[in-house]
C-alpha cells in the first residue's frame, strides 16, 4: 500500500466519525462509562490494599531482651534482628526509654511511676516492623531462638486477619476488573458491529471495485482507534478528576475515616500517570481491535 493511499484511508476513517456521529457518540459513551467504572474499581482495590498494609504495619513485633544480658549481648540481639530477611525497621527501647514512654502514656499518673525510678521493672526491647506480614509467625519463632532474647510479643492472629482481608480484597478487585473489562469489550464490539452493519453496502462496493482487505479494514481500524483514544482521554479526565476530589474531600471527613485512611490513601501524584497511560492504551486497544474483528465477516463478498 502506497503512503499516499495509507494517508487517504486514515483521513477517511477519522472523517467517518463525523458522518456517523450517532454511532460515534454511542460507542465513545459506552466505552468511556465502562472504562471509568474499571478505573475506579482499580483505585478502590489499590486504596483498600494500601489501608490494610498501613493498619497491618502498625502492629509491631516486640522482642524483649533478657534482663541478665550485658550490653554486648543486647547489641548482638539487635544485629541478628536487623540482619533477618523480611525485617523493614528496628527500634531499640532501653529500660529507661520504656519507663519514659509509659510516663507519656499515663501523664495523669506519672507520679506513680516515680517508684520505679530506682527499681525499673521494664525490659529493654526491640520494636520490629516487617515488610511481609504473612511471615510474622515464622519470624517471631526465629527471634525466640536468638541468644539473649527473653520473649517475643507478636500480634500473629491480628496480622493473619489483615493478611486474609488483603487477599480477599485483591481477588475480589481483580474479579470485578475482569468482569468490567469483558463488559467493555462486549459493549464496544456490539456498538461497532452496528456501525459496520449499517455501512455493509459501502464495504461491498469497495470490494467489488477491487479494494484489498487491508484497504477496506484500515478506515474502520483508524475510526475505532480514534474513538478509543477519545474514550481514553475522557476516562482519564474523569478518573483523575474524580479521584482528586475524593482525596481532597477525605481530609474534611475526620474521625475514623481520617484515622484509617489519612496516611493510607494513595496520593493523586502516585496514580495519575498510570490512569492516563492505561486509559489511553486500553481505549485504543479495545477500539482498534473491536473495529477489526467486527468487519471481518463482511470482507467475504
Amino acid at each position: 500500500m502506497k503512503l499516499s493511499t495509507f494517508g487517504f484511508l486514515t483521513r477517511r476513517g477519522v472523517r467517518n466519525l463525523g458522518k456517523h456521529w450517532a454511532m460515534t457518540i454511542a460507542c465513545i459513551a459506552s466505552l468511556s462509562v465502562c472504562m471509568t467504572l474499571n478505573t475506579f474499581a482499580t483505585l478502590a482495590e489499590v486504596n483498600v490494599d494500601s489501608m490494610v498494609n498501613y493498619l497491618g504495619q502498625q502492629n509491631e513485633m516486640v522482642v524483649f531482651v533478657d534482663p541478665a544480658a550485658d550490653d554486648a549481648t543486647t547489641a548482638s540481639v539487635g544485629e541478628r534482628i536487623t540482619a533477618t530477611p523480611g525485617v523493614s525497621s528496628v527500634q531499640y527501647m532501653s529500660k529507661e526509654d520504656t519507663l519514659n514512654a509509659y510516663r507519656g502514656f499515663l501523664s495523669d499518673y506519672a507520679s506513680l511511676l516515680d517508684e520505679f525510678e530506682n527499681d525499673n521493672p521494664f525490659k529493654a526491647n526491640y520494636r520490629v516492623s516487617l515488610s511481609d506480614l504473612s511471615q510474622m509467625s515464622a519470624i517471631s519463632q526465629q527471634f525466640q531462638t536468638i541468644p539473649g532474647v527473653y520473649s517475643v510479643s507478636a500480634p500473629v492472629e491480628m496480622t493473619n486477619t489483615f493478611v486474609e482481608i488483603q487477599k480477599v480484597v485483591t481477588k475480589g478487585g481483580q474479579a470485578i476488573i475482569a468482569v468490567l473489562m469483558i463488559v467493555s469489550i462486549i459493549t464496544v464490539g456490539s456498538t461497532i458491529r452496528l456501525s459496520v452493519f449499517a455501512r455493509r453496502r459501502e464495504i461491498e462496493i469497495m470490494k467489488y471495485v477491487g479494494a484489498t482487505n487491508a484497504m477496506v479494514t484500515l478506515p474502520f481500524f483508524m475510526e475505532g482507534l480514534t474513538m478509543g483514544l477519545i474514550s481514553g482521554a475522557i476516562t482519564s479526565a474523569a478518573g483523575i478528576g474524580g479521584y482528586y476530589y475524593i482525596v481532597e474531600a477525605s481530609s474534611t471527613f475526620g474521625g475514623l475515616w481520617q484515622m484509617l485512611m489519612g496516611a493510607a490513601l494513595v496520593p493523586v501524584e502516585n496514580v495519575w500517570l498510570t490512569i492516563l497511560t492505561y486509559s489511553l492504551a486500553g481505549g485504543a486497544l479495545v477500539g482498534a481491535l473491536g473495529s477489526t474483528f467486527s468487519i471481518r465477516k463482511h470482507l467475504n463478498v
Side-chain angles (χ1 to χ4, degrees):
M1 185 184 299
K2 295 181 180 179
L3 184 61
S4 58
T5 304
F6 178 84
F8 169 76
L9 294 175
T10 299
R11 291 192 297 272
R12 181 179 177 182
V14 175
R15 285 198 301 267
N16 282 339
L17 295 174
K19 291 181 179 179
H20 307 278
W21 59 270
M23 288 293 184
T24 299
I25 293 175
C27 185
I28 291 175
S30 60
L31 181 55
S32 298
V33 170
C34 290
M35 290 179 61
T36 300
L37 292 175
N38 204 329
T39 297
F40 279 103
T42 304
L43 287 172
E45 177 193 351
V46 169
N47 278 283
V48 171
D49 188 62
S50 175
M51 182 190 70
V52 172
N53 278 328
Y54 171 74
L55 292 176
Q57 290 170 1
Q58 306 310 305
N59 296 287
E60 295 178 318
M61 181 188 305
V62 182
V63 181
F64 295 98
V65 180
D66 191 331
D70 54 20
D71 292 342
T73 302
T74 301
S76 176
V77 171
E79 293 172 359
R80 292 279 299 274
I81 292 175
T82 304
T84 301
V87 172
S88 59
S89 66
V90 179
Q91 180 186 7
Y92 175 67
M93 296 282 290
S94 66
K95 297 171 61 174
E96 292 73 19
D97 293 335
T98 305
L99 179 60
N100 291 332
Y102 274 98
R103 289 184 189 276
F105 296 149
L106 304 173
S107 56
D108 294 337
Y109 306 96
S111 58
L112 298 178
L113 297 176
D114 293 340
E115 300 294 331
F116 299 139
E117 191 66 38
N118 297 322
D119 186 19
N120 192 334
F122 298 107
K123 299 179 181 67
N125 60 82
Y126 288 93
R127 299 181 180 273
V128 183
S129 295
L130 305 180
S131 56
D132 185 1
L133 297 177
S134 64
Q135 298 298 317
M136 179 169 286
S137 178
I139 292 178
S140 64
Q141 295 177 9
Q142 182 179 346
F143 287 166
Q144 192 67 63
T145 63
I146 298 176
V149 170
Y150 180 81
S151 65
V152 177
S153 175
V156 176
E157 293 185 2
M158 183 178 295
T159 300
N160 289 339
T161 300
F162 284 130
V163 171
E164 290 302 318
I165 292 174
Q166 188 175 27
K167 290 180 180 178
V168 170
V169 169
T170 300
K171 292 180 180 179
Q174 291 173 349
I176 293 173
I177 291 171
V179 170
L180 288 175
M181 181 60 70
I182 294 173
V183 171
S184 300
I185 295 174
I186 293 175
T187 302
V188 173
S190 299
T191 305
I192 293 177
R193 277 196 295 272
L194 289 174
S195 177
V196 172
F197 181 78
R199 294 149 65 187
R200 64 190 183 281
R201 298 300 181 189
E202 177 184 341
I203 297 172
E204 292 175 357
I205 292 173
M206 292 178 66
K207 291 290 293 184
Y208 283 138
V209 299
T212 64
N213 288 344
M215 295 178 65
V216 175
T217 303
L218 183 58
F220 289 95
F221 177 86
M222 295 306 301
E223 183 178 351
L225 178 65
T226 304
M227 287 190 293
L229 289 174
I230 294 174
S231 299
I234 295 174
T235 298
S236 60
I240 296 172
Y243 186 63
Y244 177 81
Y245 174 79
I246 292 173
V247 172
E248 289 296 310
S250 66
S251 61
T252 64
F253 292 161
L256 182 61
W257 172 270
Q258 185 64 24
M259 182 182 70
L260 295 180
M261 297 299 294
L265 204 63
V266 179
V268 177
E269 55 267 22
N270 289 4
V271 297
W272 76 266
L273 184 58
T274 302
I275 294 175
L276 178 62
T277 302
Y278 279 91
S279 296
L280 293 177
L285 181 64
V286 173
L289 293 181
S291 294
T292 302
F293 288 128
S294 298
I295 197 177
R296 288 179 62 184
K297 71 176 183 178
H298 296 284
L299 295 176
N300 300 321
V301 177

